[in-house]
Amino acid sequence: MNDEELMAGARAAFDVLDPVPDGVLAAARSALAWRTPAAALAELRHDGAVRPAVGVRGGTGRSLTFGCAAEPAAGPAVEIEVTGEGRHREITGRLVPPASAEIVVRHRDLPAGRAAGRTGPTGMFCLPDVPEGLVSLLFRLPGGASVVTSWVRV
């Protein structure tokens, strides 16, 4: 018996004794559909609470900073603030260095690849109705380059 036959037998045994749930398979297929292999990955660098200044009205939020591991000092970064309660959040932020870009919010309850907004020439953006849950932002830059943030729960 060679290695391939041994692995095939092990797979068959697990398929009978402990099959992978359909929901897990569906989530795995969905995750692969979201892949953007050519995009630069901006990983989460900072996650902190934002509190308004004394005497300023407003609630609390979260401040998140994402940066590219390949070029931490010069690579693209994304700075966002997440506010809101209930089923939807507002995400405001900026792309650093500033650039005009199309933004796609990646979330299981939103259509894949649908643009949610654009950054202005200063890199600033506001996404007012983002569903709560796991979210990743994809920025399509001029010239075909892309930056994608790691997944984070909002």
Side-chain angles (χ1 to χ4, degrees), residues 58-97:
T60 59
R62 271 172 76 197
S63 167
L64 299 119
T65 303
F66 300 87
C68 291
E71 304 171 32
V78 179
E79 299 170 349
I80 65 171
E81 184 175 324
V82 181
T83 57
E85 296 179 11
R87 295 176 43 132
H88 288 87
R89 305 288 184 263
E90 179 177 87
I91 298 176
T92 57
R94 68 183 183 139
L95 186 60
V96 179

Side-chain angles (χ1 to χ4, degrees), residues 49-53 59-61:
V50 175
R51 306 234 186 279
T60 59

